[in-house]
Amino acid sequence: MILETTTIMSKTVAFIIPACNEQENISILIHKLNEVMEPTGYAYTLTFIDDGSTDQTLNVLKAQNAIQPNIFYISFSRNFGHQNALKAGLDSVNGDCVIMMDADLQHPPELVPVLLQKWDEGFDLVYTIRKEDAKIPLIKRKTSKLFYEIINNLSDIELEEGAADFRLMDRKVVDAFKQIKESDLFLRGLVKWMGFSQTGIEYYPAKRNSGESKYTIKKMVRFALQGITSFSTKPLYMASYLGFIFSLFAVLYMTYIVYSYYTGQTVSGWASVIATITFFGGLQLMILGIIGLYLGKLFVQSKNRPNYIIKETNLPG
Ligand code: UDP
Ligand code: MG
């Protein structure tokens, strides 16, 4: 019995928290995490990834580290994005499990003990599903819903609607993740794809504590395209099908042209010619764009650049 408690006690939980201009939120989050972690008896570390913040985020982290030695930071040389910040965290921390969450308190710290309980039950990966909530702006809810519909229809993996980057990963999942060398990361998809014993829990997101969302519409569209093109070649097939269907129409139209020629009505074709040219022009550009997206991915991957550059860190090792 005593032996069992000591093994539980010696397990460590490593939190990784990307933070881009979150100076007001950090100390509140730390306070809340301390509150929920103390009763669990686990040893824990909090590693913040300062993703090119232009405010006092890094200084706040240094000050917090002086008060509480289990707080660490990794500071990037510039903004590399949320997904790369998560990767940096996964690459750098120790711990028998890793919990990743946002710095803005939208991922409720009260849920952490539930994640840990599922881990205790033997799950290697505990993910969370964000429930629809009036606190999240309508436009964000709708675009997010659309995103999951598109991604599930187009790709070869099945993502639950509202899957969030708030999850617990056992050490063996983290080690497996570190083997993945992809420049264009889409964590939600990758984690699902990795397998292991997974379970999900639902939560209602809180309102952002302070500051503004860093996911602008432009970034969200980019993120969605990244998700789709990371997990599927279906859009490439779709492009070919579309091309085929329209060529078929063109052939049918050709018979109409020949017919008009022989019946002497050939002058009255201006409108339809312009319509056809612009329509096919647009279609070709779209299909070229799809192909270009994949080619661009190959290009970026082939350069083999690191996903992020660390400017400074206080992590040991
Ligand atoms: N974030 C980051 N780099 C970025 C954008 C966001 O590290 O380029 C962090 C941000 O500080 C927050 C989390 O990722 O902790 C989620 O971002 P945000 O709250 O802006 O997104 P939303 O919740 O609105 O989708
Ligand atoms: Mg947020």
Side-chain angles (χ1 to χ4, degrees), residues 22 102-107 140 206 208 212-215:
E22 305 281 7
D102 286 358
D104 59 1
L105 292 144
Q106 285 196 287
H107 296 159
K140 183 119 191 168
R208 180 173 246 288
E212 280 183 355
S213 170
K214 276 88 202 171
Y215 273 100

Side-chain angles (χ1 to χ4, degrees), residues 42-76:
Y42 285 111
Y44 62 99
T45 57
L46 308 178
T47 303
F48 288 83
I49 300 94
D50 164 34
D51 184 14
S53 298
T54 50
D55 66 356
Q56 294 302 310
T57 296
L58 184 58
N59 289 333
V60 172
L61 288 172
K62 286 180 177 171
Q64 290 290 340
N65 167 251
I67 310 169
Q68 200 181 316
N70 66 339
I71 292 172
F72 300 97
Y73 57 83
I74 298 171
S75 184
F76 283 174

